[in-house]
Amino acid sequence: SSAASDVYKRQEYLTEDEIKRIMAHEFDNPTLALVRDLFIFACFTALSFVDMKELTTDEIVEVNGEKWILSKRHKTNVPFQVKLLDIPLQIIERYKYLSEDRLVFGKINYWTMCKQLKKVMAECGIEKQISYHCARHHHLSYTLKISSL
């Protein structure tokens, strides 16, 4: 078996309860709160880390009174659109002060975020190996349930 398939097999996902636990957790450390919020943003929007990092204020548009992300995937240049639900909108609002050069979340570093994400999971009592990539895979099942809440 190849190293890539081994990594793929080890990929773990969060349950809905674990996501709720992460969302509800109060962090004393503001960096961990940011890392958690970006992870939750990724869960709700299915944006990859790089698409989130490169998201600009120009790509958030209002359509019939609702906010949408209209952008292109960094990796494939394929256009995509995501309706912004309340929680992602609150996260954008919360970190407006970080925004620079039209980047919604300012300058965020992938490796720093990954290291801190391990701490977020540990503080929430979650022992799974979770990455930002996992967040994208929560998207469909989770938003379907969230929209019915």
Side-chain angles (χ1 to χ4, degrees), residues 70-105:
L70 302 182
S71 187
K72 286 185 173 159
R73 294 254 177 243
H74 174 83
K75 205 158 86 176
T76 58
N77 220 24
V78 172
F80 71 92
Q81 54 195 52
V82 179
K83 183 179 166 187
L84 285 167
L85 301 170
D86 284 348
I87 289 169
L89 282 170
Q90 287 165 20
I91 292 170
I92 289 170
E93 195 61 37
R94 186 173 305 147
Y95 295 104
K96 259 193 168 147
Y97 72 93
L98 288 179
S99 183
E100 58 177 300
D101 299 331
R102 299 195 338 271
L103 293 170
V104 171
F105 297 114

Side-chain angles (χ1 to χ4, degrees), residues 41 45 57-70 81-86 88-90 92-93 96:
F41 187 87
T45 60
T57 48
D58 303 347
E59 293 167 329
I60 298 174
V61 296
E62 200 162 307
V63 182
N64 299 327
E66 293 176 327
K67 294 241 170 99
W68 289 73
I69 295 172
L70 302 182
Q81 54 195 52
V82 179
K83 183 179 166 187
L84 285 167
L85 301 170
D86 284 348
L89 282 170
Q90 287 165 20
I92 289 170
E93 195 61 37
K96 259 193 168 147

